[in-house]
Amino acid sequence: MRIAFLTQLFDPEPTAKGLEFARALRERGHDVEVVTGFPNYPGGKVYDGYAISPLKREIMEGVPVTRLAIYPSHDRSALRRILCYGSFMVSSWLYLTLWARRFDVVYVYYPSLTAGLAAIAMKLFRRARIIVDIQDMWPDSLRSTGMVGNERVLSYIDRVSRFMYRHVDHVMVLSPGFERLLVERGVPPEKISVHYNWTHESPDEGTDPTPPGFETGDRFRVLFDGNIGAAQG
């Protein structure tokens, strides 16, 4: 199967589903091309060794990667964030519609809304099934982080999100809570599947899983493994 892995964030940027995920798809016999931007997350500055251009192709561990021009920004300016996400939406739509080879599936990872809209617009000209992988629930995460506080704008984003859910072929979510929210918002349950994010289950052989200075002995310990930020309270 020919798969376009559409994601604004990709290696060498930190991301849950990046090169390892694309490589795993190839190992399962799929023909995968990553369509992404130029690395600039989280600082908003393009990484050393890269310079923004309309299009750059590279091979990373056997995986073809196509990088498209974006406006790099990850600060707290809502306008610059819009320019960042919007620029990738436009450049990815143009690439998938006009220059890319045909794909059987466009797997949309991040950001699910703007990249998802690019895939939907592409589908007006080219046939491909669209799978969208929801890692952040919009507009909920925008409201909780304080990135967008205008309720009229949030209401508009909610309507656009529902439009996307209607026009993609399948929606993947990372938790049953996300699934319940989408069902409440009118997405058919049969269109949704829950796929948890993962981690390696054990440390490398011969390494100590506890950090230096961490006490040992028979004590009850609690570990929080996840994000800490405005969205998590």
Side-chain angles (χ1 to χ4, degrees), residues 145-164:
T145 58
M147 181 61 64
V148 178
N150 188 306
E151 287 298 326
R152 186 171 295 181
V153 174
L154 290 169
S155 176
Y156 174 75
I157 294 172
D158 182 49
R159 292 197 298 271
V160 174
S161 298
R162 293 171 190 252
F163 170 86
M164 181 191 67

Side-chain angles (χ1 to χ4, degrees), residues 9-29:
L9 299 185
F10 191 73
D11 294 63
E13 295 166 300
T15 177
K17 289 184 180 176
L19 181 58
E20 184 178 8
F21 178 70
R23 194 173 62 239
L25 290 175
R26 284 181 62 85
E27 290 171 355
R28 284 159 175 76

Side-chain angles (χ1 to χ4, degrees), residues 17 107 131-135 170-176 179 192-198:
K17 289 184 180 176
Y107 185 106
I131 299 173
V132 62
D133 186 335
I134 305 294
Q135 298 285 316
H170 191 76
V171 181
M172 290 173 51
V173 293
L174 54 75
S175 73
E179 181 181 28
I192 309 169
S193 60
V194 178
H195 296 268
Y196 299 104
N197 286 337
W198 68 89

Side-chain angles (χ1 to χ4, degrees), residues 9-10 25 29 39 67 69 79 92 95 113 115 124 143 149 157 168 173 179 181 183 186:
L9 299 185
F10 191 73
L25 290 175
R67 298 191 182 272
L79 176 59
S92 60
Y95 175 73
L113 180 57
L124 296 173
R143 181 184 288 110
I157 294 172
V168 300
V173 293
E179 181 181 28
L181 273 176
V183 171

Side-chain angles (χ1 to χ4, degrees), residues 10-222:
F10 191 73
D11 294 63
E13 295 166 300
T15 177
K17 289 184 180 176
L19 181 58
E20 184 178 8
F21 178 70
R23 194 173 62 239
L25 290 175
R26 284 181 62 85
E27 290 171 355
R28 284 159 175 76
H30 300 294
D31 182 0
V32 180
E33 178 184 343
V34 177
V35 180
T36 187
F38 285 84
N40 69 99
Y41 178 83
K45 294 184 178 181
V46 178
Y47 283 29
D48 291 341
Y50 290 91
I52 292 180
S53 61
L55 185 148
K56 174 182 172 61
R57 298 187 191 275
E58 60 181 318
I59 303 293
M60 299 181 68
E61 297 185 21
V63 177
V65 178
T66 300
R67 298 191 182 272
L68 305 173
I70 60 169
Y71 177 85
S73 177
H74 291 283
D75 59 22
R76 294 195 58 83
S77 166
L79 176 59
R80 285 192 288 270
R81 283 292 187 95
I82 291 171
L83 288 173
C84 180
Y85 295 141
S87 61
F88 182 69
M89 178 175 68
V90 172
S91 63
S92 60
W93 170 67
L94 289 173
Y95 175 73
L96 290 172
T97 304
L98 300 177
W99 293 297
R101 61 200 174 105
R102 294 187 178 273
F103 295 101
D104 302 306
V105 171
V106 177
Y107 185 106
V108 179
Y109 178 58
Y110 181 87
S112 56
L113 180 57
T114 49
L117 292 177
I120 291 169
M122 175 273 303
K123 202 173 181 180
L124 296 173
F125 303 92
R126 293 187 170 191
R127 291 185 178 181
R129 294 180 66 80
I130 302 172
I131 299 173
V132 62
D133 186 335
I134 305 294
Q135 298 285 316
D136 291 311
M137 190 67 69
W138 284 20
D140 310 67
S141 61
L142 298 177
R143 181 184 288 110
S144 63
T145 58
M147 181 61 64
V148 178
N150 188 306
E151 287 298 326
R152 186 171 295 181
V153 174
L154 290 169
S155 176
Y156 174 75
I157 294 172
D158 182 49
R159 292 197 298 271
V160 174
S161 298
R162 293 171 190 252
F163 170 86
M164 181 191 67
Y165 301 142
R166 287 196 303 272
H167 288 88
V168 300
D169 296 284
H170 191 76
V171 181
M172 290 173 51
V173 293
L174 54 75
S175 73
F178 277 23
E179 181 181 28
R180 288 193 297 271
L181 273 176
L182 290 183
V183 171
E184 290 171 5
R185 295 173 185 179
V187 182
E190 62 272 14
K191 197 175 185 177
I192 309 169
S193 60
V194 178
H195 296 268
Y196 299 104
N197 286 337
W198 68 89
T199 185
H200 296 290
E201 294 182 356
S202 60
D204 294 335
E205 185 177 352
T207 63
D208 186 352
T210 59
F214 196 79
E215 294 182 10
T216 58
D218 295 330
R219 301 185 65 183
F220 182 78
R221 296 178 177 83
V222 177

